[in-house]
Amino acid sequence: MLTAGVVDSYREHIVAAHKQPLFLLLVGFISSFLFIRFSVRMIRAQVRWWPGNIKPGGLHIHHMVFGVGCLLVSGIGVFATNGGHPWIDWFGLLFGMGCGLVLDEFALILHLEDVYWSEQGRKSVDAVILGILFTALLLTGYAPLGVVPGQGSSGWSGQWGLVAVISVNAVLSVIALIKGKLWTGLLGIMVPGLSWIGAIRLARPSSPWARWRYADRPRRRARALRRERLLHARADRARTWLFDLIAGAPDKVPAHHTATHRMAEAMAARAAAHLDPARAGHTAQPVERAADQRRRTVQAGRARSYRTRAPRRRA
């Protein structure tokens, strides 16, 4: 009885509503992301029975490459078949798989560096979760502000009122994004009220809005910093725990590692820019010069060590 009810519900809400391609896209999206995360965690744990990375000729091929291939094949296939059945269902599934594989390495595309197991790699999980949420909202029938075309807008006045409300909501979503509230701004496009709350509340201290508007308002900036320490710190800890559970914890980089020095220098320059925006440009230059001087010192030390060891080997 339960299986029959599920099948009937699927036929009524998915097939009859012409949402099967979008449903299969969501299935491919989630399944490919979960599979590839399981795969990379097995590779990271060096499990013997799990196949490792694909390295033909020593070249490591990232799974993003296969994702781009899935996107190309599915996109071209939809145009080639004119979106007819059953091809659009299969291409929808393939497109979702490509989305999962590509967005899982979104941080690599953004930074142009392999930061998969670093803190910057968290951006990939953000991108995947946002993509899944948007697809799920579209599948459940959500329209911007929950407005269904053809309902709730009668006559010119109703249509113009609807356009005005959607326009205001779009502006408030942009303000929420500028204030550093990524999830609130993006989800507020679809869910009524979220972007309004994000646009009214204080901006995060590291956001562009705080740099533009709080530079000459020390009390408001102090309130934003206090709220960041109290409220957002707790939310970030919960988010970190959830992401560690889903995607695995990032690598703990040693304190003497070069990447740690680069990150610390960038954070110091960012903090100085927040304290005094007028000196931001002057602060970054000494930091870069100090990093260059440290690299030159290390290279010179290695060269001297090599020159002192070379005669002994010849003797």
Side-chain angles (χ1 to χ4, degrees):
M1 292 296 294
L2 180 61
T3 305
V6 171
V7 172
D8 292 339
S9 178
Y10 178 81
R11 289 175 178 173
E12 178 183 356
H13 298 288
I14 301 297
V15 179
H18 306 287
K19 293 182 178 180
Q20 184 163 279
L22 186 61
F23 174 78
L24 293 174
L25 188 152
L26 181 61
V27 170
F29 200 154
I30 297 175
S31 60
S32 64
F33 171 68
L34 294 178
F35 171 77
I36 201 62
R37 277 289 167 172
F38 175 79
S39 175
V40 295
R41 292 179 75 169
M42 291 296 101
I43 295 172
R44 188 188 192 191
Q46 297 181 354
V47 178
R48 294 183 179 180
W49 53 268
W50 188 259
N53 293 312
I54 300 177
K55 294 183 177 181
L59 175 64
H60 178 202
I61 299 180
H62 293 268
H63 50 266
M64 175 186 64
V65 177
F66 300 99
V68 172
C70 292
L71 294 177
L72 287 173
V73 171
S74 58
I76 296 173
V78 168
F79 286 104
T81 57
N82 199 22
H85 287 281
W87 295 106
I88 191 170
D89 297 331
W90 292 106
F91 288 137
L93 178 65
L94 187 63
F95 189 87
M97 294 169 61
C99 289
L101 294 175
V102 170
L103 289 183
D104 186 58
E105 292 196 311
F106 172 78
L108 185 149
I109 302 173
L110 182 64
H111 293 278
L112 293 178
E113 188 178 357
D114 192 358
V115 292
Y116 195 87
W117 290 117
S118 68
E119 286 293 337
Q120 293 92 334
R122 299 286 189 181
K123 297 183 180 67
S124 298
V125 187
D126 286 331
V128 169
I129 293 179
L130 283 173
I132 291 175
L133 286 177
F134 268 113
T135 309
L137 287 173
L138 291 172
L139 184 64
T140 55
Y142 252 95
L145 290 177
V147 176
V148 179
Q151 298 182 8
S153 58
S154 59
W156 285 101
S157 59
Q159 293 179 2
W160 281 110
L162 178 60
V163 170
V165 171
I166 293 179
S167 301
V168 170
N169 186 73
V171 172
L172 294 176
S173 296
V174 173
I175 293 176
L177 291 172
I178 296 176
K179 284 190 172 184
K181 305 174 186 296
L182 177 65
W183 290 79
T184 304
L186 291 177
L187 294 179
I189 299 173
M190 306 290 292
V191 182
L194 282 180
S195 60
W196 302 58
I197 297 173
I200 294 173
R201 291 171 64 84
L202 283 172
R204 303 193 71 169
S206 58
S207 65
W209 185 279
R211 292 197 295 270
W212 300 336
R213 304 282 295 178
Y214 297 169
D216 54 350
R217 297 180 180 179
R219 296 181 61 183
R220 181 163 293 188
R221 180 165 189 80
R223 285 176 55 204
L225 288 169
R226 188 163 56 250
R227 176 172 292 179
E228 183 77 12
R229 286 194 300 268
L230 296 177
L231 180 62
H232 292 292
R234 297 174 185 172
D236 288 342
R237 283 196 295 270
R239 170 176 167 270
T240 300
W241 175 84
L242 178 62
F243 283 10
D244 287 347
L245 181 65
I246 296 174
D251 291 330
K252 302 299 182 183
V253 183
H256 61 276
H257 197 271
T258 307
T260 306
H261 286 297
R262 289 201 305 266
M263 187 179 300
E265 291 160 358
M267 291 176 64
R270 188 181 303 173
H274 292 164
L275 293 175
D276 189 359
R279 293 165 47 194
H282 301 287
T283 307
Q285 294 177 0
V287 172
E288 294 176 357
R289 286 197 295 269
D292 292 339
Q293 181 64 32
R294 183 161 50 250
R295 284 193 293 270
R296 286 196 294 268
T297 303
V298 172
Q299 292 174 357
R302 291 175 179 174
R304 286 195 298 270
S305 176
Y306 177 78
R307 285 196 297 268
T308 55
R309 289 197 304 266
R312 296 176 183 175
R313 286 198 297 268
R314 285 197 298 269

